[in-house]
């Protein structure tokens, strides 16, 4: 989108602000370039990689397989940084939300959703979002910029720090899965998202496998195949409506890439099978998309795609022009899909009390700031 500002992915040793450059977000080739720059053999990049992405070290002094002089040299020019946490809140259901600030003072939110024996991290790809889906609060934000690969990987590393999960455990524990379902449209920031996910998937580093990563898109059709081919991650589609008329109104990107084109891209998504299905997300909006007729049309729409459906009860936000469907309506909708042979679980809202649920992100930070200002003024 034209309004999104593209962040550069390879940082020079010293940034424009004079701060030391961050090594987080650099891929193997770029770490080799750092070593070459320091007159070091390239293989040392592998050791550095191990310390940064497998061990989670942030202090060069801890990198004991590197010579002392090299550690000093690195410390002179670089940092292994993390985004700054401005707010850290925990829901009564255990969901944790961080508001993170980057060097230019822009902020995003990142949410950890724990389950009994695993946990997912909901990662943001942009500050704000250009899509303006009518039920999503992130879409009401005016300013939008892409996150750099460093800023995306930084969210994962920060969560690992907070969960105390370094060195990377074999199957992840509380951070076993990643969902690219935070703020922003990941396929409008494809290059940085792809670079970040490749770093996250590398089995000698953070090592979260592509089978445990889900990328959610509102339907940037031309990028779907590429994401499948290059990344092989699970795909989730924010479908939300079964006719172009309704989808045009609530997910405006539909005017550009209508349902038929979107479904074609889904059918062609590389690597699909019964064991590897596309997740269709469907937000339940009272009186908008929740009739038995909608359910029947949805079943028809996905009949030739290995699919599962995730019904999301609408999460309200201040001034939102929708209401959530009633529990009975949601149940009936889910049952119809189930009877047609589809898994259609209703997504349990997590972290609603801290505005961390789907579609609520960012809003809290704006509100908090306003109330903090008000408090300061009195
Ligand atoms: N831009 C991507 C990533 C966002 S994922 C995408 O659209 O897929 C966030 C998911 O939550 C999407 O399925 C989105 O449509 C859904 N969502 C947005 N606002 C919501 C709300 N208020 N209640 C429930 N789900 C919402």
């Amino acid at each position: 989108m034209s309004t999104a500002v593209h962040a550069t992915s390879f940082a020079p040793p010293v940034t424009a602000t004079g701060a030391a450059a961050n090594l987080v977000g650099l891929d193997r080739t770029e770490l080799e370039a750092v070593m070459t720059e320091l007159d070091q053999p390239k293989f040392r990049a592998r050791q550095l990689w191990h310390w940064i992405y497998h061990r989670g070290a942030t202090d060069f002094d801890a990198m004991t397989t590197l010579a002392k002089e090299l550690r000093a040299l690195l410390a002179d020019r670089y940092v292994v940084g993390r985004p700054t946490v401005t707010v850290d809140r925990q829901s009564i259901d255990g969901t944790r939300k961080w508001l993170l600030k980057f060097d230019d003072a822009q902020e995003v939110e990142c949410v950890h959703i724990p389950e009994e024996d695993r946990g997912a991290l909901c990662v943001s790809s942009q500050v704000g979002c250009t899509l303006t889906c009518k039920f999503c609060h992130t879409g009401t934000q005016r300013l939008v910029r892409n996150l750099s690969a460093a800023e995306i990987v930084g969210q994962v590393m920060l969560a690992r720090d907070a969960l105390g999960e370094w060195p990377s455990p074999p199957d992840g524990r509380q951070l076993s899965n990643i969902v690219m379902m935070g703020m922003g449209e990941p396929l409008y920031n494809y290059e940085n998202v792809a670079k970040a996910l490749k770093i996250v998937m590398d089995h000698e580093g953070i090592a979260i496998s592509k089978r445990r990563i889900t990328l959610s898109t509102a339907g940037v059709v031309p990028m779907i195949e590429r994401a499948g081919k290059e990344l092989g991650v699970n795909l989730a589609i924010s479908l939300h409506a079964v006719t172009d008329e309704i989808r045009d109104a609530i997910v405006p990107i539909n005017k550009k890439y209508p349902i038929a084109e979107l479904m074609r891209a889904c059918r062609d998504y590389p690597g699909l099978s019964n064991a590897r299905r596309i997740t269709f997300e469907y937000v339940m909006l009272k009186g908008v998309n929740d009739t038995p007729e909608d359910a029947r049309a949805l079943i028809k729409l996905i009949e030739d795609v290995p699919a599962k459906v995730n019904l999301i009860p609408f999460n309200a936000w201040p001034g939102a022009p929708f209401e959530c469907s009633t529990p009975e309506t949601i149940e009936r909708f889910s049952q119809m899909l189930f009877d047609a042979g589809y898994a259609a679980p209703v997504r349990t809202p997590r972290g609603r009390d801290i505005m961390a649920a789907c579609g609520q992100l960012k809003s809290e930070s704006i509100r908090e700031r306003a109330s903090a200002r008000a408090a300061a003024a009195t």
Side-chain angles (χ1 to χ4, degrees):
M1 290 290 282
S2 53
T3 43
V5 180
H6 292 264
T8 52
S9 54
F10 184 66
V14 175
T15 60
T17 55
N22 190 3
L23 293 180
V24 168
L26 301 195
D27 61 22
R28 286 174 183 273
T29 318
E30 288 165 339
L31 286 185
E32 283 177 3
V34 165
M35 284 302 167
T36 309
E37 179 96 6
L38 299 176
D39 284 330
Q40 296 289 318
K42 274 190 183 163
F43 73 85
R44 297 226 183 281
R46 191 155 176 205
Q47 294 170 314
L48 191 54
W49 174 278
H50 175 86
W51 284 108
I52 296 173
Y53 294 121
H54 180 72
R55 304 287 288 261
T58 49
D59 182 353
F60 291 107
D61 259 342
M63 303 185 181
T64 47
T65 54
L66 301 177
K68 253 198 155 124
E69 298 72 44
L70 175 55
R71 284 186 250 155
L73 217 54
L74 283 164
D76 231 27
R77 300 185 178 203
Y78 297 100
V79 293
V80 182
R82 301 287 191 260
T84 306
V85 177
T86 21
V87 182
D88 177 353
R89 299 189 68 186
Q90 193 142 18
S91 155
I92 43 168
D93 68 20
T95 301
R96 190 164 170 188
K97 182 175 82 168
W98 296 279
L99 177 64
L100 305 175
K101 190 189 258 181
F102 300 114
D103 289 347
D104 64 351
Q106 288 297 340
E107 294 176 319
V108 298
E109 293 185 325
C110 178
V111 179
H112 178 250
I113 307 142
E115 306 280 345
E116 196 115 309
D117 51 352
R118 64 202 159 94
L121 188 71
C122 181
V123 172
S124 291
S125 57
Q126 297 182 309
V127 174
C129 187
T130 53
L131 289 178
T132 66
C133 297
K134 297 297 172 269
F135 45 81
C136 180
H137 205 191
T138 310
T140 64
Q141 226 174 286
R142 205 174 43 85
L143 193 81
V144 180
R145 82 157 167 85
N146 283 340
L147 294 189
S148 66
E151 291 165 338
I152 297 167
V153 177
Q155 295 172 58
V156 180
M157 300 185 75
L158 179 118
R160 272 257 164 97
D161 292 349
L163 298 164
E165 294 196 338
W166 299 111
S168 304
D171 269 322
R173 280 171 219 152
Q174 274 304 305
L175 207 174
S176 57
N177 292 62
I178 287 185
V179 290
M180 293 302 300
M181 295 188 184
M183 292 162 54
E185 168 49 52
L187 295 187
Y188 273 157
N189 183 18
Y190 180 75
E191 300 297 339
N192 293 340
V193 166
K195 184 179 175 197
L197 290 183
K198 283 178 191 165
I199 291 172
V200 166
M201 290 189 278
D202 190 298
H203 63 275
E204 290 180 344
I206 298 170
I208 297 175
S209 112
K210 61 182 181 183
R211 311 238 164 256
R212 292 173 180 268
I213 299 177
T214 300
L215 184 150
S216 180
T217 178
V220 186
V221 167
M223 298 308 294
I224 289 178
E225 186 187 6
R226 190 163 162 211
K229 273 199 181 134
E230 288 181 7
L231 304 174
V233 294
N234 302 312
L235 183 67
I237 299 284
S238 294
L239 188 63
H240 304 319
V242 290
T243 65
D244 282 324
E245 195 190 349
I246 298 177
R247 199 163 189 268
D248 279 354
I250 62 175
V251 183
I253 195 181
N254 194 68
K255 291 184 214 152
K256 202 161 176 189
Y257 308 115
I259 292 175
E261 279 181 39
L262 178 59
M263 294 311 295
R264 201 174 312 129
C266 289
R267 275 192 293 275
D268 293 344
Y269 192 69
L272 284 189
S273 69
N274 275 341
R276 245 186 119 234
R277 296 163 182 264
I278 291 181
T279 302
F280 288 93
E281 297 160 284
Y282 199 94
V283 63
M284 298 300 295
L285 303 172
K286 191 182 213 166
V288 176
N289 63 357
D290 61 354
T291 64
E293 201 184 338
D294 290 309
R296 274 189 289 275
L298 177 56
I299 292 162
K300 185 104 195 76
L301 208 55
I302 59 178
E303 70 187 351
D304 51 358
V305 185
K308 51 190 169 192
V309 178
N310 222 307
L311 300 177
I312 316 177
F314 169 65
N315 294 306
W317 37 272
F322 297 103
E323 275 178 70
C324 184
S325 310
T326 63
E328 301 74 46
T329 308
I330 298 176
E331 192 44 47
R332 182 181 57 192
F333 203 97
S334 169
Q335 190 61 44
M336 284 181 72
L337 284 153
F338 185 77
D339 291 343
Y342 292 97
V346 180
R347 192 182 285 177
T348 314
R350 298 288 303 267
R352 263 184 181 171
D353 57 331
I354 56 164
M355 292 289 281
C358 301
Q360 295 183 313
L361 296 190
K362 189 64 183 184
S363 45
E364 181 73 4
S365 63
I366 293 164
R367 263 189 352 158
E368 263 181 3
R369 287 250 209 67
S371 53
R373 268 201 303 278
T378 53

